[in-house]
Amino acid sequence: MSLEFIPTRVFYEPGALDYPLGKTLVEGFQNMGISVSHTTSHNRITGIPGNTATAAYREAKRTLVIGVRRSEKFQSCKPSAHYQLPLVTSCPGMCEYCYLATTLGKKPYIRIYVNQEEILERASKLIQERIPEITTFEGAATSDPVPVERYTGALKRAIEFFGHQPNGRFRFVTKYTDIESLLDVKHEGHTRFRFSLNCSEVVKKYEHGTPSPEERIIASGKVLKAEYPLGFIIAPIFRFQGWQDAYGRLMERTAEELAKRALSGWSPEQLTLEFISHRFTAKAKANILEIFPNSSLPMKEEERKFKYGQFGYGKYIYQAEEMKEMKEFFQEQAKAYFHSAKVEYFI
Ligand code: SF4
């Protein structure tokens, strides 16, 4: 199955036509024979079909909205970065557990913003305000920006921009592998390129419309060879029959590919690892079951520990003993395969 994202329908804000990228995109999609209509706001899209929540969700994931990001304010993005860099919202993937299904509502259509220069200018101001401190921006807080990169070139532009910023750093994460256009960008080591990985048992079951772990690992090797600071997020981690073997194989295969691709002088010290165990909120569970009524995601509240969250709603995480076992397991794996890598956290 090709994972190349070609939208079924496109909407654009008339203001997007004031930007060369907006014009090129609208004309390009019209020339491709795709239905293109205008909309008054990228935040209010009507006209996405679907009689059921499942159908509406699927159609939304094939809908692209070309907009202008007007808000002056950047959301904070603690603890991994100071600010979110708003380049894209949502993504064409259909991971059953995706938190965007909760935050973006029933129709998480994909939004891209054509005023990239203005967005980067705002980033530049925020960097200036914090000098001499380093200011870090996260490019994937509300999306996976890679599937639409072929249309937007937004990551390429942002990476280049941060390459010129002595006090600015950029990071993003992706499950996608269409990254060739980013390999020769002058990043100057200021962008951390992270891949979200999971074992094939989990990817096949829950991460619909995303590349296989093997494809992601091969792509990460290319990114390493392009001398980007590299990182992996292993998430969400599930316990199932044979989970240690499955995750162990994933770590082993990743280490093998990196060893093959690393240039001389590279050391795992430059690698970051993040581990996130599976968790869910009551709201997320209700949303997921509406969109994926037959989901086999493990979401039995009685099997989990309830933990109050910082935003007033609680989440269901694995039991303390299970968490301890998982944490120890991944710490050992990290030591065995990436001995000096920086383990940022296990949650
Ligand atoms: S790839 Fe990421 S952003 Fe896209 S659906 Fe999956 S979890 Fe969500």
Side-chain angles (χ1 to χ4, degrees):
M1 183 181 72
S2 167
L3 294 177
E4 196 174 287
F5 173 62
I6 299 175
T8 304
R9 69 192 66 76
V10 171
F11 293 91
Y12 68 95
E13 284 179 340
L17 297 179
D18 298 338
Y19 297 82
L21 177 62
K23 237 174 147 216
T24 310
L25 287 174
V26 167
E27 283 167 10
F29 286 120
Q30 280 165 339
N31 291 340
M32 285 165 78
I34 292 169
S35 145
V36 179
S37 1
H38 62 83
T39 173
T40 46
S41 162
H42 66 78
N43 292 321
R44 270 190 315 276
I45 302 295
T46 50
I48 299 176
N51 294 332
T52 61
T54 309
Y57 169 83
R58 289 187 159 269
E59 292 298 338
K61 288 281 186 170
R62 295 179 189 134
T63 302
L64 183 71
V65 179
I66 304 169
V68 180
R69 181 86 184 193
R70 303 220 181 262
S71 149
E72 276 288 324
K73 212 171 143 3
F74 282 7
Q75 300 286 324
S76 75
C77 195
K78 284 177 186 153
S80 67
H82 296 96
Y83 297 103
Q84 300 182 5
L85 188 72
L87 299 176
V88 179
T89 304
S90 193
C91 116
M94 291 191 274
C95 305
E96 293 187 20
Y97 57 75
C98 181
Y99 71 101
L100 296 178
T102 313
T103 53
L104 298 179
K106 300 275 155 59
K107 293 184 179 179
Y109 53 84
I110 301 136
R111 275 173 263 183
I112 57 178
Y113 308 109
V114 293
N115 55 330
Q116 294 169 356
E117 217 159 77
E118 289 161 8
I119 294 170
L120 293 174
E121 260 165 39
R122 274 174 227 153
S124 170
K125 275 189 204 142
L126 292 169
I127 293 169
Q128 299 305 318
E129 280 170 15
R130 295 188 74 255
I131 278 179
E133 303 292 322
I134 299 278
T135 305
T136 308
F137 294 79
E138 167 64 60
T142 57
S143 69
D144 188 318
V146 169
V148 290
E149 177 66 14
R150 57 204 296 264
Y151 301 120
T152 63
L155 284 174
K156 186 171 191 234
R157 204 152 177 193
I159 294 167
E160 257 162 16
F161 166 84
F162 282 98
H164 292 116
Q165 300 294 324
N167 292 80
R169 294 292 180 274
F170 184 43
R171 51 196 274 139
F172 65 92
V173 60
T174 185
K175 289 185 170 69
Y176 286 82
T177 54
D178 189 5
I179 44 113
E180 298 295 327
S181 68
L182 305 177
L183 295 179
D184 59 358
V185 182
K186 284 200 169 55
H187 55 76
E188 307 295 347
H190 292 180
T191 291
R192 185 166 290 279
F193 203 134
R194 287 129 78 223
F195 282 88
S196 166
L197 276 186
N198 219 317
C199 51
S200 47
E201 288 81 346
V202 170
V203 173
K204 274 190 210 137
K205 249 186 182 164
Y206 305 126
E207 298 185 358
H208 313 295
T210 67
S212 67
E214 178 61 17
E215 290 169 297
R216 297 181 209 173
I217 291 169
I218 290 172
S220 74
K222 293 181 189 172
V223 165
L224 181 68
K225 199 165 169 225
E227 297 188 74
Y228 275 97
L230 180 65
F232 293 103
I233 302 188
I234 315 291
I237 298 165
F238 291 96
R239 294 173 64 95
F240 54 90
Q241 188 74 36
W243 65 271
Q244 289 105 323
D245 285 347
Y247 284 110
R249 279 195 305 274
L250 180 76
M251 302 288 278
E252 185 183 11
R253 172 69 192 104
T254 308
E256 178 194 58
E257 186 66 20
L258 296 194
K260 224 163 60 187
R261 291 291 192 155
L263 301 175
S264 70
W266 184 79
S267 131
E269 263 169 48
Q270 296 155 28
L271 185 73
T272 55
L273 298 171
E274 297 158 76
F275 298 102
I276 307 176
S277 60
H278 178 247
R279 63 239 4 262
F280 62 92
T281 62
K283 187 175 171 204
K285 178 178 175 177
N287 278 329
I288 291 168
L289 292 179
E290 230 187 302
I291 300 166
F292 299 100
N294 302 318
S295 179
S296 63
L297 276 173
M299 294 191 291
K300 287 195 183 126
E301 291 83 351
E302 63 278 15
E303 290 177 359
R304 296 291 180 98
K305 179 182 156 172
F306 184 74
K307 189 175 173 214
Y308 286 98
Q310 53 176 323
F311 302 112
Y313 54 85
K315 52 196 160 203
Y316 294 92
I317 62 174
Y318 280 109
Q319 299 288 352
E321 268 308 300
E322 295 173 325
M323 287 288 254
K324 187 166 169 271
E325 188 188 10
M326 291 157 91
K327 186 173 179 180
E328 283 170 5
F329 172 81
F330 281 100
Q331 275 169 342
E332 274 165 26
Q333 294 289 311
K335 222 189 251 162
Y337 292 114
F338 310 100
H339 57 94
S340 50
K342 183 170 180 235
V343 176
E344 296 207 316
Y345 54 82
F346 175 98
I347 53 167

